[in-house]
Amino acid sequence: MPMITLQFGQCGNQVGHSFFSLLSRDIKLGYSNEVSLYCQESVDNWFQKISDGNKYLARAILVDTEQKVINDIKKKQSGLHWEYNSNNVISSKGGGTGNNWAFGYGKKGPELKETVLECVRKNIEDCDMLHGFVNILSCAGGTGSGVGSYIIEELYSEYPSKLFISSVVLPYSAGEVITQNYNTVLTLAKLYDVTDMFIVFSNDQLHKMSNSLLKKDSVILQDLNDLIAMKLGSIFQPISDTPLYNFNDIISQLAAHIEYKFVTIKSAPHYPEENKHFEPGISWNLLSDHMKQTLKESEGIDWETKSIKSKLSSRHSQTQYVKCIGNVLITRGEEMQDSGAALASTFNDISMYPQWVPEDAKFQHFHQNRKYLEMNKFISLATNNSSIYHAINGISENAWKVYTHKAHVTSGRGKRLPKHKIDSYATVQPLLNRSLTFSEWPESEKLALLEGLKRHGPYDLDSLCEAVPGKSRDNIKMALAMWWKTARTAMLTSSRGRKNVEGVKKANLPKVILPVEKAPIDQWLMKLENSQAAGSSCQSKLLARTLLYISKYESHPRPEDCNGVDFKALYEFMYAMMRGFPGKNLNAETSAYLLKSIKDIEKFMNERGKVQEMSFLEKTQRITEQDKVLRTYGGKRVKLESAVEPNLDEKKFKELLEIPGFNPLKVKAELLKK
Ligand code: GTP
């Protein structure tokens, strides 16, 4: 399913160009006779075929405040089989942002907003059901970070149900840009709420990889970009036999938990271009052991930058693994034989995950037989783990130090914008180190908050701010989030029969906001209920997310015990439907159960005269043009020869619809055919 890439600033545009070049190289775009589902899907996701000739347009929008980088990129395009659409190149007049986040966010972003959004709208018209956006930017400059965060926020408010992936590049820690720490904190804080999953790259780490693995004496930015592109391609290129479900599967595995969204990609093998023809024969087992080794916390050693064959010395063999929220391993190339099961047991190691991560949410493995970039074997591990927090924490602490020494960054016109920084610090830092900040609250303020909570409950933030005037809104949100999380952890562990005396004691939690007796599903529904304006049609992702969490984190009865109804699959299906993804097939019993439930709800609402709810339910069933819930048809899709679907005749199509589970929501046949 198509993704639109938004590339911001110098870094974003250069990385974006490397990414599209890599994709086109992988599928030999425009010059190969290969007709496979893999190529078809890759083209559908990232390119649009120009009707005449053998040229493709990248589904990318380029945004910069200066012309130079984009002009240089355009020059690199001659002779390629793909190019950028010249209507998708947006740059502003009047110079760049001078590495100033505030100038980008407060001035250039608003200036560019309408042009970018209009361009996005036009691009969506050309997509057959847009899946989401991949944003590429560096956190350190002013355009990527400032303009990028502003535009992405605006985009999110226009397309809240689409997928938002932000691929961000962290600056060298030695620091080329004086404002880089501020800019990074501000960017991550602004993007946090509007991003489903971050893919984080660190220039320091990529530099080391180029040095030690690619044997580059003098590393240039292009080397780093090639590595980024290779890693992104390794998780974004088609990965399974169930097309159209890739991005969704990866994201729901890696970033289902709203408080942990930072993902990094480890990959191997990487070797110098000139060694390509002597690709070493490495077994899948060796590669997967290497990937697992990259998760070791071994005295600052980054195993990804070491050769695959380097082993842990006995000194390191006892070291712990960093804690992972979720891991996705993708292997591409040679058949795996029986290594698949071995991989699962390697990566399901309980010492790698916090106790509360459920068994089936820890690890997923996908294998793609087609060779990636013609390599016999390529492995990548997309991992959501705690190691990236060291880098971000360092940046955040530096930003805070500079801030407390009153080195404010101005908006470029001499106007200070310290409020942004304080708020952002309050957003990023707690994500990194909640307990520290919270334990510093004076006792009197904790008591005031407790009183406020008793009186107003946890959702009336305005009243809570009044109750604790000494703390900012973000501080209060942060404290509530922390209590909520500790409560949930305590509840989950105790519900599994383990006492969590320590956890509860440590946090010294006031009873009033601890609904420990409530099941997670009730907590989620309570949160949902309180966050939806009465009568609003659910445009937010919260309900969808709730369904996903229920599917992933609740324990479900076995289908055999429920007349075949698979509740886990049912919740996942509803999540997929709400987000506009094609759902996985439900078995006949489950789809019958879902249909019956909808009917029951309808009856229930009718009996109680719930007019608003009825109209919402009706809307979901009656998809009509005039309700404007249908996307605009983007024109005929160009398909590769072999993938053109046979023209189903009327009778066959009707028969198809009768198959149990094929159309569980009874969407009208005319609409399905379209
Ligand atoms: P202004 O130049 O202030 O308008 O903003 P910008 O967003 O265009 O700046 P830029 O993208 O150059 O951001 C600077 C940061 O990005 C520094 O940390 C650089 O190391 C990093 N950077 C710049 N270009 C590249 C690149 O091509 N690849 C990588 N990996 N990093 C880059």
Side-chain angles (χ1 to χ4, degrees):
M1 280 164 87
M3 299 291 280
I4 292 180
T5 304
L6 279 109
Q7 306 171 177
F8 295 97
Q10 169 174 327
C11 177
N13 280 301
Q14 290 184 157
V15 169
H17 186 264
S18 300
F19 175 59
F20 281 102
S21 305
L22 174 130
L23 294 178
S24 79
R25 235 179 335 120
D26 185 39
I27 54 176
K28 305 193 181 96
L29 193 66
Y31 61 91
S32 148
N33 294 328
E34 180 182 340
V35 184
S36 62
L37 192 60
Y38 182 96
C39 294
Q40 162 80 48
E41 208 189 319
S42 176
V43 170
D44 276 355
N45 290 344
W46 305 104
F47 296 94
Q48 188 195 347
K49 189 166 185 188
I50 305 177
S51 39
D52 51 338
N54 230 6
K55 274 259 179 184
Y56 292 78
L57 291 180
R59 289 190 200 280
I61 297 175
L62 291 70
V63 183
D64 207 347
T65 48
E66 287 168 298
Q67 297 270 346
K68 188 178 171 315
V69 174
I70 294 183
N71 287 343
D72 289 349
I73 287 173
K74 276 195 200 148
K75 279 184 211 149
K76 287 193 213 165
Q77 299 212 302
S78 65
L80 297 179
H81 289 278
W82 71 275
E83 62 190 21
Y84 288 121
N85 183 343
S86 54
N87 297 327
N88 287 2
V89 177
I90 298 163
S91 57
S92 68
K93 298 199 177 79
T97 56
N99 298 317
N100 188 322
W101 182 92
F103 193 49
Y105 187 87
K107 179 98 173 67
K108 291 284 180 178
E111 275 174 19
L112 290 168
K113 173 186 144 186
E114 263 323 307
T115 322
V116 178
L117 291 189
E118 188 50 31
C119 182
V120 170
R121 274 175 221 130
K122 287 195 181 126
N123 275 266
I124 291 179
E125 297 277 297
D126 290 334
C127 287
D128 204 355
M129 194 161 164
L130 177 76
H131 200 56
F133 302 96
V134 176
N135 309 301
I136 309 181
L137 48 113
S138 80
C139 289
T143 303
S145 69
V147 176
S149 13
Y150 182 84
I151 300 282
I152 295 165
E153 278 182 327
E154 292 295 320
L155 202 61
Y156 180 83
S157 60
E158 194 150 330
Y159 303 100
S161 61
K162 296 292 171 204
L163 205 60
F164 278 73
I165 300 175
S166 292
S167 174
V168 295
V169 177
L170 299 181
Y172 282 107
S173 53
E176 321 113 270
V177 178
I178 192 156
T179 48
Q180 66 181 34
N181 296 319
Y182 274 151
N183 293 350
T184 303
V185 170
L186 290 159
T187 309
L188 294 181
K190 283 286 169 202
L191 290 182
Y192 202 82
D193 286 341
V194 294
T195 294
D196 291 298
M197 180 173 97
F198 286 90
I199 304 179
V200 186
F201 296 100
S202 144
N203 271 352
D204 278 331
Q205 203 261 353
L206 295 165
H207 193 105
K208 267 192 222 151
M209 281 181 77
S210 304
N211 254 158
S212 58
L213 301 178
L214 305 181
K215 311 285 179 219
K216 301 264 179 188
D217 292 334
S218 51
V219 175
I220 55 170
L221 288 175
Q222 184 62 50
D223 300 324
L224 312 191
N225 297 348
D226 289 344
L227 280 172
I228 297 178
M230 206 155 171
K231 285 166 179 273
L232 285 178
S234 75
I235 66 161
F236 283 147
Q237 281 293 58
I239 48 171
S240 74
D241 298 333
T242 48
L244 310 175
Y245 215 63
N246 293 344
F247 304 118
N248 187 30
D249 266 350
I250 291 187
I251 287 166
S252 62
Q253 175 72 26
L254 288 171
H257 199 303
I258 208 157
E259 286 175 17
Y260 304 96
K261 297 182 180 176
F262 294 125
V263 167
T264 45
I265 305 172
K266 317 275 185 195
S267 55
H270 295 280
Y271 38 76
E273 186 59 28
E274 55 275 19
N275 290 8
K276 204 173 161 201
H277 298 294
F278 311 103
E279 190 181 338
I282 314 160
S283 70
W284 280 124
N285 281 342
L286 194 58
L287 284 168
S288 65
D289 285 350
H290 180 63
M291 286 293 103
K292 187 171 177 186
Q293 186 152 296
T294 64
L295 301 177
K296 284 254 177 190
E297 266 181 339
S298 33
E299 294 168 14
I301 298 174
D302 179 356
W303 290 101
E304 197 189 4
T305 65
K306 305 276 172 208
S307 122
I308 294 167
K309 290 181 181 153
S310 48
K311 276 271 166 239
L312 291 171
S313 70
S314 52
R315 195 160 61 90
H316 293 122
S317 57
Q318 293 305 313
T319 46
Q320 303 282 316
Y321 289 102
V322 292
K323 290 287 181 239
C324 305
I325 307 296
N327 286 313
V328 170
L329 189 80
I330 300 167
T331 45
R332 294 173 183 277
E334 274 174 17
E335 202 76 57
M336 295 211 68
Q337 278 129 21
D338 58 344
S339 306
L343 281 184
S345 81
T346 308
F347 282 90
N348 273 320
D349 180 343
I350 52 166
S351 68
M352 289 162 64
Y353 302 88
Q355 275 183 355
W356 51 265
V357 177
E359 208 48 48
D360 60 351
K362 288 176 179 160
F363 170 72
Q364 213 169 348
H365 170 226
F366 296 95
H367 180 74
Q368 168 59 260
N369 277 330
R370 187 186 184 278
K371 288 181 185 173
Y372 180 55
L373 299 166
E374 298 191 328
M375 295 167 80
N376 287 335
K377 294 191 187 87
F378 193 81
I379 193 165
S380 48
L381 177 72
T383 169
N384 182 342
N385 70 47
S386 53
S387 62
I388 192 65
Y389 288 78
H390 297 305
I392 300 179
N393 201 17
I395 291 171
S396 175
E397 275 176 4
N398 284 338
W400 185 242
K401 265 188 224 144
V402 184
Y403 181 79
T404 51
H405 285 83
K406 305 268 183 285
H408 301 302
V409 185
T410 69
S411 69
R413 298 284 180 271
K415 223 168 107 194
R416 286 191 343 180
L417 285 176
K419 174 91 175 61
H420 273 308
K421 290 176 197 65
I422 292 272
D423 287 353
S424 303
Y425 187 81
T427 312
V428 170
Q429 190 58 27
L431 291 169
L432 304 167
N433 202 347
R434 286 158 204 267
S435 54
L436 183 95
T437 323
F438 174 65
S439 65
E440 284 167 5
W441 277 45
E443 212 53 38
S444 58
E445 284 187 332
K446 286 183 190 168
L447 275 176
L449 182 58
L450 182 58
E451 281 309 310
L453 284 165
K454 279 185 188 159
R455 202 161 303 148
H456 311 290
Y459 301 106
D460 183 356
L461 270 180
D462 290 338
S463 305
L464 291 178
C465 288
E466 272 174 35
V468 198
K471 284 281 176 275
S472 73
R473 202 180 173 83
D474 280 323
N475 278 158
I476 292 173
K477 272 192 339 209
M478 172 195 80
L480 293 179
M482 197 206 80
W483 284 339
W484 188 277
K485 193 175 145 205
T486 320
R488 190 176 151 77
T489 315
M491 182 192 58
L492 282 176
T493 43
S494 62
S495 71
R496 284 182 197 148
R498 269 178 249 111
K499 289 250 178 293
N500 188 30
V501 185
E502 212 196 326
V504 178
K505 228 196 265 166
K506 239 194 237 163
N508 200 14
L509 302 165
K511 257 196 169 145
V512 66
I513 59 151
L514 271 183
V516 281
E517 70 283 1
K518 289 204 186 269
I521 178 168
D522 294 329
Q523 292 190 27
W524 275 111
L525 291 174
M526 193 168 101
K527 229 180 167 181
L528 172 77
E529 215 169 77
N530 284 285
S531 67
Q532 297 288 329
S536 67
S537 67
C538 290
Q539 273 296 314
S540 92
K541 292 178 190 171
L542 192 56
L543 179 54
R545 258 181 198 285
T546 307
L547 295 167
L548 174 66
Y549 289 176
I550 294 172
S551 147
K552 273 194 165 308
Y553 296 115
E554 292 283 309
S555 52
H556 302 277
R558 295 178 316 159
E560 305 88 275
D561 300 337
C562 306
N563 295 329
V565 178
D566 184 343
F567 282 95
K568 188 173 170 54
L570 177 62
Y571 282 114
E572 192 182 340
F573 178 84
M574 290 195 288
Y575 157 72
M577 294 298 274
M578 283 208 66
R579 295 294 303 274
F581 308 141
K584 284 179 178 164
N585 274 352
L586 294 180
N587 64 24
E589 292 81 0
T590 312
S591 61
Y593 180 83
L594 177 60
L595 265 182
K596 182 171 177 314
S597 304
I598 293 176
K599 282 267 166 275
D600 288 350
I601 295 172
E602 208 176 331
K603 192 164 156 249
F604 179 90
M605 287 175 180
N606 254 330
E607 284 167 5
R608 285 160 183 75
K610 302 257 176 202
V611 184
Q612 248 171 11
E613 284 82 352
M614 275 304 289
S615 79
F616 179 69
L617 193 69
E618 246 176 58
K619 239 192 220 166
T620 59
Q621 291 176 329
R622 180 175 45 88
I623 306 171
T624 64
E625 192 76 56
Q626 106 213 22
D627 277 352
K628 294 202 183 341
V629 271
L630 272 190
R631 67 190 162 75
T632 319
Y633 182 52
K636 200 168 179 308
R637 188 157 136 201
V638 184
K639 291 193 169 188
L640 299 184
E641 291 293 304
S642 73
V644 177
E645 282 163 17
N647 219 349
L648 286 174
D649 66 34
E650 205 63 26
K651 187 162 164 279
K652 275 208 183 123
F653 188 70
K654 289 232 167 83
E655 279 169 17
L656 198 61
L657 288 187
E658 293 309 313
I659 297 173
F662 186 82
N663 180 19
L665 291 186
K666 299 264 185 269
V667 178
K668 284 181 188 159
E670 310 88 83
L671 293 170
L672 276 182
K673 262 168 73 175
K674 188 175 182 186

